[in-house]
Amino acid sequence: MKNIKTIVALFSSFILCSCHTVVGNWLERHADNHLTYGEKNAHQGLFRVDGAYIAYTKEEIESDSVHGSMAFVFYPDGVCAELGLRFVMDNGIVDFDKSVYREKIYPKQWYGMMGVYEVRNDTVYCDMYRWADLLHISTSYEKYEFVIKDSCTLECNRFVSETGFINWHFVPCTNIIRPREKFIKDRKWMWKTEEDWLKYKESKKK
C-alpha cells in the first residue's frame, strides 16, 4: 500500500511539472519579441499610476450612473493588469481593494489578465497573460497598445466605438493591491536580465 501511494505521488508530481513546463514553453515560443519585467519607473512619469484607467470619467462614476467597468491598472515597476471594478467610493475616490471583482476559486485574487508593459515614445505596449486554472492549461496571451493622450488619458487600439478609439480615463484609487504576479516573476524568460532573475530567486529564500 505504501509503495502504491509513493508511485501515485511521483506520478502526480510528474504530471504537474510537465503541465507547467509545457505551458511555459508554449508562451515562450508563441510570445515572440515579448516584453520583459524589471524596469524601475516603467511609466517614465508620462501617465499616472496611482489609480486605474476606465472607459468612464470620474464625474460619471460620482454621479452614480455607472456601477461597474473593465479597468486597466499600471504599476511603477512595469507590471500591468486588466480587471473588473464595481466602484466602491470613499470620499469621492475609488477604494481599489473593495472594488475589485474576486475570483471564486482564489478569493484573494481578481479575475482578469496580468502582464508587463513598456513605454516607447507616446505609446504604452502591454503583453497580457491569463493563467485561468490550477495547471495553467487555459493560458492565453494578448498584446495591447495605449497611446498616451495626456497624463490622465490613454487611447487603446483594441477598443473601438462608432466614433473611433475609446479613451480610458484615470480615476484615483486608495488601497491599491497587486495581482498574483508570481506567475510572471517565477519565469526566467520574463526578466530583462538573468542577473535580476537570480536576485529575485535568492530573495525568495530569505
Side-chain angles (χ1 to χ4, degrees):
M1 187 67 179
K2 184 177 181 180
N3 290 337
I4 293 176
K5 289 182 178 179
T6 302
I7 293 172
V8 171
L10 290 173
F11 181 74
S12 299
S13 298
F14 173 77
I15 293 296
L16 287 172
C17 291
S18 297
C19 288
H20 281 265
T21 301
V22 168
V23 171
N25 291 341
W26 181 90
L27 283 175
E28 189 169 8
R29 185 171 65 252
H30 287 79
D32 294 333
N33 301 314
H34 61 79
L35 302 180
T36 50
Y37 170 78
E39 186 72 41
K40 294 181 179 179
N41 298 318
H43 56 101
Q44 299 179 24
L46 297 177
F47 59 98
R48 292 183 64 175
V49 292
D50 54 332
Y53 287 84
I54 60 172
Y56 298 95
T57 64
K58 187 171 182 286
E59 289 72 25
E60 286 176 313
I61 296 174
E62 291 177 342
S63 69
D64 201 31
S65 61
V66 180
H67 300 287
S69 173
M70 187 169 120
F72 290 89
V73 59
F74 301 87
Y75 297 89
D77 62 350
V79 170
C80 56
E82 166 257 319
L83 63 151
L85 289 181
R86 57 187 176 86
F87 305 128
V88 176
M89 308 291 288
D90 183 11
N91 294 323
I93 299 177
V94 177
D95 187 317
F96 190 93
D97 190 19
K98 293 180 180 178
S99 298
V100 174
Y101 285 112
R102 304 289 182 172
E103 287 273 17
K104 292 182 180 179
I105 300 176
Y106 306 109
K108 293 183 179 180
Q109 172 63 18
W110 63 64
Y111 179 79
M113 302 188 80
M114 72 188 84
V116 293
Y117 72 91
E118 181 178 293
V119 175
R120 300 180 210 145
N121 299 319
D122 67 343
T123 304
V124 185
Y125 296 88
C126 306
D127 283 354
M128 307 293 287
Y129 305 87
R130 188 192 305 278
W131 287 274
D133 52 44
L134 184 61
L135 297 180
H136 308 168
I137 293 174
S138 300
T139 301
S140 57
Y141 166 79
E142 296 184 32
K143 284 182 174 289
Y144 291 84
E145 293 179 14
F146 293 88
V147 175
I148 304 171
K149 310 297 288 186
D150 56 53
S151 62
C152 294
T153 310
L154 303 177
E155 181 185 87
C156 185
N157 68 329
R158 297 291 298 273
F159 302 93
V160 183
S161 67
E162 294 180 357
T163 57
F165 291 109
I166 296 176
N167 285 330
W168 292 77
H169 302 282
F170 175 83
V171 291
C173 300
T174 58
N175 304 315
I176 299 175
I177 56 177
R178 293 178 68 94
R180 213 158 159 242
E181 58 200 28
K182 70 178 296 293
F183 297 127
I184 293 173
K185 293 184 176 182
D186 282 352
R187 288 161 171 78
K188 181 179 178 181
W189 56 271
M190 285 293 300
W191 289 78
K192 288 189 180 298
T193 67
E194 182 177 355
E195 181 182 3
D196 289 338
W197 180 74
L198 290 173
K199 288 180 179 178
Y200 164 71
K201 298 298 285 186
E202 285 298 319
S203 68
K204 290 184 64 178
K205 297 177 181 178
K206 297 178 181 178

